[in-house]
């Protein structure tokens, strides 16, 4: 078994790649890191090209020719960082899996402390960019994001969205990521019952190119937050969520209608010109609809899906067993 899989999601990072490759190989040659794996050390670097349109893929093909430990998964188009990470997780065969950004902002020197934390017994170690080298337009929204996520999830991490993270292989294999959910991986992991912690890591300013995330990410992030909250709380019991609301609505509507009917029968008040009648009817219909939504949710949630949602154009050096998983 491979000891360490390094997953690098990348989108148009050709300027950074040569330096990144050297620094990764340098960090992976560190005897201190090797000592963390008493049964011998081996590694793989999985470069996941997220539909780059520059020369990134060509560069990686050249690297593969020189180093057999480097692997390539190349997407047909740009699907986003979440998709890139999830393809990497599927292809990874390491005992420990580390993800790192391709833009040289994260430091490969942190591999050893990350792995040591995993060997201590944690299933996931997230980096914490204590001193962040980014413009305020990034750090401020990020502060708000971290604060709300910390409050709602109850997980005491400072930095949920750090590109540098380490995972025990069982966790990496069990993550089912959609949308832009890479920001919430610690929440999903914790909810599944894995042990999550963090360590401070070094962070550098972006040297080449520019950030690949625009302002659209605020809304994407908000919706993903709602779906993560829903997934972690109600995924296995949609009926509890929709059923309860449906029941309340239906019962209120029923009481209103019964009252209107009784008023007609006993006090001979006309039914037709009473606004409250419409509220009663509305609530009954709404109740039935919510109830059936819950029922549908219940039926869907008992059927696991493993559809990937992305398509691979090209691979390089990926072992046979992992190729199967990428096709699923
Ligand atoms: N990235 C990706 N697909 C995308 C956007 C980004 O694979 O659609 C990669 C990008 O190449 C980089 C990492 O994700 O390696 C982090 O992106 P970036 O540095 O732009 O994010 P920031 O550091 O600004 O949050
Ligand atoms: Mg970056």
């Amino acid at each position: 078994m491979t000891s360490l899989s390094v997953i690098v999601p990348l989108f148009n990072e050709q300027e950074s790649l040569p330096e990144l490759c050297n620094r990764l190989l340098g960090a992976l040659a560190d005897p201190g890191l090797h000592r963390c794996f008493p049964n011998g050390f081996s590694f793989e670097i999985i470069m996941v090209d997220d539909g780059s349109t520059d020369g990134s893929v060509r560069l990686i093909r050249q690297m593969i020719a020189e180093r057999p430990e480097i692997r390539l998964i190349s997407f047909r188009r740009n699907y986003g960082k979440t998709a890139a990470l999830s393809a990497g997780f599927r292809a990874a065969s390491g005992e420990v899996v580390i993800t790192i950004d391709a833009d040289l902002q994260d430091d490969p020197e942190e591999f050893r402390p990350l792995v040591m934390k995993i060997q201590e017994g944690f299933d996931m170690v997230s980096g914490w960019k204590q001193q962040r080298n980014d413009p305020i337009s990034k750090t401020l929204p990020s502060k708000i994001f971290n604060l709300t996520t910390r409050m709602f999830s109850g997980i005491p991490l400072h930095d949920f969205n750090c590109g540098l993270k380490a995972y025990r292989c069982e966790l990496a294999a069990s993550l089912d990521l959609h949308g832009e959910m890479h920001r919430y991986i610690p929440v999903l992991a914790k909810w599944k019952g894995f042990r999550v912690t963090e360590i401070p890591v070094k962070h550098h300013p972006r040297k080449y190119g520019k950030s690949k995330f625009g302002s659209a990410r605020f809304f994407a992030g908000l919706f993903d937050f709602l779906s993560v909250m829903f997934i972690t709380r109600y995924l296995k019991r949609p009926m509890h969520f929709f059923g309860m609301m449906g029941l309340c609505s239906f019962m209120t509507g029923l009481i209103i209608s019964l009252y209107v009917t009784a008023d007609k029968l006993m006090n001979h008040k006309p039914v037709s010109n009473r606004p409250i009648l419409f509220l009663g009817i509305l609530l009954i219909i709404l109740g039935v609809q919510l109830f059936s939504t819950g029922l549908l949710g219940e039926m869907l949630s008992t059927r696991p899906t493993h559809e990937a949602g992305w398509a691979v154009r090209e691979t390089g050096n990926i072992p046979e067993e992992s190729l199967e998983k990428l096709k699923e």
Side-chain angles (χ1 to χ4, degrees):
M1 192 185 188
T2 316
S3 327
L4 186 63
S5 297
V6 178
I7 300 175
V8 189
L10 62 109
F11 177 47
N12 292 343
E13 305 279 6
Q14 63 174 0
E15 298 94 340
S16 311
L17 282 178
E19 191 176 333
L20 174 78
C21 187
N22 285 338
R23 304 217 5 221
L24 285 177
L25 291 171
L28 289 164
D30 168 24
L33 178 67
H34 299 180
R35 275 196 292 278
C36 298
F37 297 90
N39 301 328
F41 180 79
S42 57
F43 70 90
E44 61 178 357
I45 300 175
I46 305 175
M47 301 274 186
V48 190
D49 154 54
D50 186 12
S52 299
T53 48
D54 63 355
S56 297
V57 175
R58 207 175 42 240
L59 275 174
I60 297 169
R61 283 196 212 112
Q62 287 168 10
M63 292 171 189
I64 288 183
E66 284 163 31
R67 298 291 304 228
E69 300 96 335
I70 300 181
R71 318 202 188 297
L72 166 70
I73 301 171
S74 178
F75 281 168
R76 290 192 170 272
R77 67 167 171 83
N78 176 241
Y79 289 100
K81 192 176 175 184
T82 302
L85 287 177
S86 92
F89 287 142
R90 285 202 191 187
S93 59
E95 213 177 300
V96 178
V97 177
I98 289 184
T99 60
I100 184 169
D101 285 356
D103 55 3
L104 298 167
Q105 290 197 265
D106 299 330
D107 203 318
E109 270 175 39
E110 306 285 355
F111 285 0
R112 184 153 71 110
L114 285 169
V115 170
M116 279 164 71
K117 227 28 190 187
I118 294 278
Q119 308 293 38
E120 253 177 49
F122 289 97
D123 299 302
M124 167 171 193
V125 188
S126 183
W128 167 21
K129 306 183 286 276
Q130 214 167 10
Q131 296 239 320
R132 194 168 168 182
N133 285 300
D134 270 324
I136 179 117
S137 60
K138 294 198 69 123
T139 50
L140 187 69
S142 160
K143 278 222 169 75
I144 299 172
F145 158 78
N146 281 315
L147 187 77
T148 41
T149 311
R150 193 158 56 231
M151 259 168 50
F152 281 95
S153 67
I155 302 171
L157 290 193
H158 290 89
D159 189 358
F160 285 84
N161 190 20
C162 183
L164 192 54
K165 289 188 170 71
Y167 309 78
R168 194 181 295 283
C169 58
E170 294 94 318
L171 170 55
S174 80
L175 286 172
D176 190 11
L177 305 173
H178 298 284
E180 295 277 294
M181 272 181 203
H182 63 270
R183 299 192 183 88
Y184 298 101
I185 296 178
V187 183
L188 294 170
K190 178 91 182 194
W191 172 71
K192 282 176 182 248
F194 290 98
R195 289 180 68 198
V196 178
T197 189
E198 72 182 354
I199 56 168
V201 293
K202 272 188 245 146
H203 186 247
H204 307 286
R206 208 180 224 282
K207 216 160 150 185
Y208 310 101
K210 54 180 191 301
S211 172
K212 305 296 184 293
F213 293 101
S215 47
R217 70 172 156 172
F218 299 131
F219 289 103
L222 178 68
F223 294 136
D224 284 327
F225 178 70
L226 292 178
S227 66
V228 166
M229 282 299 127
F230 192 80
I231 286 175
T232 51
R233 278 162 206 215
Y234 293 107
L235 181 65
K236 291 281 171 267
R237 44 194 183 113
M239 207 51 191
H240 291 206
F241 184 76
F242 290 106
M244 205 51 193
M245 291 203 296
L247 196 68
C248 291
S249 172
F250 185 86
M251 290 314 284
T252 319
L254 193 68
I255 290 168
I256 292 174
S257 305
L258 284 178
Y259 160 74
V260 172
T261 312
D263 223 19
K264 157 87 179 168
L265 291 179
M266 293 192 291
N267 307 330
H268 304 290
K269 284 216 186 131
V271 172
S272 51
N273 60 350
R274 307 190 68 175
I276 199 170
L277 174 73
F278 293 98
L279 181 65
I281 298 172
L282 183 73
L283 286 176
I284 290 180
I285 296 178
L286 196 69
V288 173
Q289 280 190 339
L290 283 169
F291 209 79
S292 26
T293 307
L295 211 59
L296 278 178
E298 203 73 28
M299 288 158 80
L300 287 177
S301 72
T302 48
R303 258 189 39 195
T305 56
H306 290 292
E307 223 189 295
W310 31 263
V312 174
R313 185 201 303 277
E314 173 187 344
T315 59
N317 234 349
I318 303 281
E320 205 63 46
E321 324 76 88
S322 308
L323 271 183
E324 287 302 309
K325 289 189 209 142
L326 286 173
K327 278 193 209 125
E328 264 168 27

